[in-house]
Amino acid sequence: MPKLVGLMAMDAREAAESGGVLLAAPDRPDFPRTVVDYVVRQYPPPGAEVPRGTVVTVWFDFGEGEGGGGAGVHEPRLPCPGGGGIQRELDEPGDPYAVAGFGSLC
């Protein structure tokens, strides 16, 4: 299975053809005419063993004015440590010696 993620649509079609697989794009009904949109996801994943002629599903990024939502970027959150063990006593709010901006991540 070739890696198609990161390729433009026309390059993904060429890579799929040379790899002996077929492409399907459920989010692009005009996929045969799609040229410069980039593949952002594929299934089966790159490197998977598939028989010749397998249909590979690819998804593209949204173009200008498409999609919507605007949820923004969500950075991963690390899990907070458990509540057990000895914890240090926190300073009272309004401590004049507290350094602003260096709070806990949890």
Side-chain angles (χ1 to χ4, degrees):
M1 168 59 58
K3 179 182 179 195
L4 305 173
V5 174
L7 298 179
M8 287 193 295
M10 62 184 196
D11 296 330
R13 284 192 295 270
E14 290 175 9
E17 185 179 326
S18 67
V21 295
L22 305 172
L23 289 184
D27 64 339
R28 296 287 179 191
D30 61 340
F31 176 63
R33 294 184 306 275
T34 303
V35 178
V36 296
D37 292 343
Y38 287 89
V39 176
V40 295
R41 195 174 66 189
Q42 77 179 69
Y43 183 82
E49 293 290 328
V50 296
R52 195 163 188 76
T54 296
V55 176
V56 178
T57 305
V58 293
W59 291 268
F60 294 91
D61 58 340
F62 290 116
E64 190 67 34
E66 296 179 331
V73 177
H74 297 276
E75 73 274 5
R77 300 286 184 183
L78 300 174
C80 293
I86 300 175
Q87 296 180 346
R88 69 177 183 88
E89 185 177 328
L90 299 176
D91 296 325
E92 291 293 320
D95 181 8
Y97 300 105
V99 178
F102 290 97
S104 171
L105 294 176
C106 297

